C-alpha cells in the first residue's frame, strides 16, 4: 500500500519540475499564467465534469459546501480578532481574513485527495471546493464595495467561472443519467487527466523566493492557523457531531490545505498587502508538504 509520504512526493516532484523549468529559463512566470488559464477553463472543468457525471452522489454530499463555508467563517473570525489585537489597518485586516479563509482545495487539494482516496474521494473534494469558489466571488464583491472596483465585472467573472458550470452540468448529467458517448467521454477524460500535472507545473512556476523577515510574525500565524488549527477545529466539530468515513476524512484533509493562490488575485485587484499574500502562499505551500502527511496519517 502506498504511504502518505509517497502520495505527497508525487505532486511535490511535479512542483519541483516547474521550479527547475523556471530556474533554467525554459519557462517563466508568463507561462504560469497561460497554464493556469488552460487548467481553469479546460482541464479542471473536464476533470470535475467527468467525476461528478459518473460518480455515485450521496445525499450527505450537499453538506460539504456548508461545512467548508462554516470553517471559512471561523477562520475569518480568528483573523479578525488577531488583527484587532495587533491594531492592524483595514487593508491588513482584510488581507489576513482572505489568507486564512481561502483554502487551496482545488489546485493542491484535488491531487492530494485523489492520491489518498481515489476518484470517490475526489468527488467529495469537488463538493467541498464549491464553497471556496463561491467565497472568491463573495470576497470580490465585498472588497470592491469597501476599496472600490468594478462590482459588475466581479459578478460577471463569478458567473462565467467554468469549473462552477462544470459542477452544475455534471450534476445534471448525473441526476438524469444522460449518456456521454464514447467520443465525448474519452475526450473529456484525456483533458481531465492533464489537469493535475499542469496544476503542479503552474504552481512551481509561481513560487518566488523573497525576503520574509518583515512578514515573519504574520506568516507564522497564518501558517500555523491554516495548516494545523483549522483541521483540528473541523475534526473536533465533525467527529463530535457524528460524522465519519470519507465525509470526515476528505473534509479535514481539504481544511488542511495551504492558502489559495486566488487570494493573490484579490490582493492585486484591490490593492491589499500583495507582498504578505505572496509570502504566505509560498510558505504555506512549502510547509504543507510536511504537515499534510501528518494529517493523512492521523486520518
Amino acid at each position: 500500500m502506498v504511504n502518505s509520504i509517497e502520495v505527497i512526493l508525487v505532486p511535490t516532484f511535479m512542483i519541483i519540475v516547474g521550479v527547475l523549468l523556471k530556474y533554467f529559463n525554459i519557462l517563466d512566470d508568463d507561462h504560469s499564467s497561460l497554464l493556469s488559464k488552460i487548467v481553469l477553463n479546460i482541464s479542471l472543468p473536464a476533470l470535475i465534469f467527468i467525476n461528478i457525471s459518473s460518480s455515485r452522489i450521496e445525499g450527505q454530499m450537499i453538506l460539504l459546501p456548508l461545512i467548508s463555508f462554516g470553517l471559512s467563517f471561523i477562520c475569518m473570525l480568528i483573523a479578525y480578532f488577531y488583527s484587532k489585537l495587533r491594531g492592524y489597518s483595514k487593508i491588513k485586516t482584510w488581507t489576513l481574513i482572505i489568507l486564512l479563509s481561502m483554502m487551496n482545495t482545488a489546485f493542491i487539494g484535488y491531487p492530494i485527495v485523489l492520491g489518498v482516496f481515489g476518484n470517490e474521494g475526489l468527488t467529495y473534494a469537488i463538493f467541498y471546493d464549491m464553497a471556496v469558489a463561491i467565497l472568491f466571488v463573495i470576497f470580490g464583491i465585498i472588497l470592491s464595495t469597501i476599496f472600490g472596483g468594478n462590482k459588475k465585472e466581479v459578478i460577471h467573472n463569478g458567473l462565467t467561472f467554468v469549473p462552477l458550470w462544470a459542477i452544475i452540468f455534471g450534476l445534471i448529467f448525473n441526476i438524469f443519467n444522460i449518456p456521454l458517448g464514447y467520443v465525448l467521454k474519452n475526450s473529456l477524460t484525456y483533458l481531465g487527466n492533464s489537469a493535475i500535472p499542469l496544476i503542479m507545473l503552474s504552481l512551481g512556476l509561481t513560487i518566488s523566493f523573497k525576503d520574509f523577515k518583515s512578514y515573519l510574525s504574520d506568516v507564522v500565524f497564518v501558517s500555523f492557523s491554516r495548516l494545523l488549527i483549522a483541521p483540528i477545529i473541523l475534526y473536533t466539530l465533525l467527529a463530535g457531531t457524528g460524522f465519519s468515513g470519507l465525509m470526515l476524512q476528505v473534509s479535514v484533509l481539504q481544511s488542511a490545505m495551504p492558502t489559495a493562490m486566488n487570494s493573490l488575485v484579490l490582493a492585486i485587484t484591490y490593492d491589499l498587502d500583495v507582498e504578505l499574500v505572496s509570502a504566505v502562499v509560498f510558505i504555506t505551500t512549502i510547509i504543507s508538504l510536511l504537515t499534510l502527511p501528518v494529517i493523512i496519517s492521523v486520518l
Side-chain angles (χ1 to χ4, degrees), residues 153-175:
E153 185 177 341
V154 172
I155 296 173
H156 175 266
N157 290 338
L159 293 176
T160 56
F161 192 56
V162 183
L164 199 57
W165 285 104
I167 293 172
I168 294 171
F169 280 104
L171 287 171
I172 293 173
F173 273 68
N174 187 298
I175 293 170

Side-chain angles (χ1 to χ4, degrees), residues 117-146:
F117 299 112
N119 285 325
E120 186 179 0
L122 179 60
T123 303
Y124 279 79
I126 290 170
F127 273 83
Y128 188 96
D129 179 59
M130 285 174 63
V132 180
I134 296 171
L135 190 62
F136 176 79
V137 178
I138 293 174
F139 273 138
I141 295 171
I142 293 173
L143 293 173
S144 66
T145 301
I146 297 174

Side-chain angles (χ1 to χ4, degrees), residues 1 51 55-65 67-68 109-110 112-129 234-235 238-239 242-255 257 295-296 298-299:
M1 181 178 177
N51 275 275
S55 296
R56 183 171 62 88
I57 297 176
E58 301 176 0
Q60 63 176 358
M61 286 184 181
I62 197 64
L63 296 175
L64 285 164
I67 291 171
S68 181
Y110 286 0
I112 301 300
V113 172
L114 182 62
V116 177
F117 299 112
N119 285 325
E120 186 179 0
L122 179 60
T123 303
Y124 279 79
I126 290 170
F127 273 83
Y128 188 96
D129 179 59
L234 190 62
Y235 179 84
L238 293 183
F243 285 95
S244 60
L246 273 179
M247 190 82 165
L248 170 68
Q249 293 170 318
V250 173
S251 294
V252 173
L253 185 54
Q254 284 282 65
S255 74
M257 293 300 156
I295 300 294
I296 293 169
V298 172
L299 293 174

Side-chain angles (χ1 to χ4, degrees), residues 128-285:
Y128 188 96
D129 179 59
M130 285 174 63
V132 180
I134 296 171
L135 190 62
F136 176 79
V137 178
I138 293 174
F139 273 138
I141 295 171
I142 293 173
L143 293 173
S144 66
T145 301
I146 297 174
F147 300 108
N150 193 328
K151 194 180 298 184
K152 289 184 178 180
E153 185 177 341
V154 172
I155 296 173
H156 175 266
N157 290 338
L159 293 176
T160 56
F161 192 56
V162 183
L164 199 57
W165 285 104
I167 293 172
I168 294 171
F169 280 104
L171 287 171
I172 293 173
F173 273 68
N174 187 298
I175 293 170
F176 294 100
N177 198 26
I178 302 173
L180 296 178
Y182 177 85
V183 175
L184 182 59
K185 181 178 180 180
N186 282 277
S187 297
L188 291 174
T189 300
Y190 286 134
L191 290 171
N193 288 340
S194 70
I196 304 306
L198 289 179
I199 286 171
M200 295 297 99
L201 289 176
S202 175
L203 181 56
L205 292 173
T206 60
I207 289 177
S208 177
F209 299 92
K210 294 182 178 180
D211 181 16
F212 302 115
K213 289 182 180 179
S214 59
Y215 302 103
L216 186 59
S217 60
D218 292 329
V219 169
V220 170
F221 165 74
V222 176
S223 299
F224 183 71
S225 301
R226 170 94 303 284
L227 302 176
L228 293 176
I229 298 300
I232 289 173
I233 290 173
L234 190 62
Y235 179 84
T236 303
L237 291 174
L238 293 183
T241 51
F243 285 95
S244 60
L246 273 179
M247 190 82 165
L248 170 68
Q249 293 170 318
V250 173
S251 294
V252 173
L253 185 54
Q254 284 282 65
S255 74
M257 293 300 156
T259 298
M261 288 182 289
N262 277 345
S263 59
L264 189 58
V265 175
L266 292 172
I268 293 171
T269 303
Y270 299 104
D271 293 322
L272 302 182
D273 195 331
V274 177
E275 288 76 15
L276 174 58
V277 173
S278 298
V280 168
V281 169
F282 171 67
I283 289 296
T284 55
T285 299

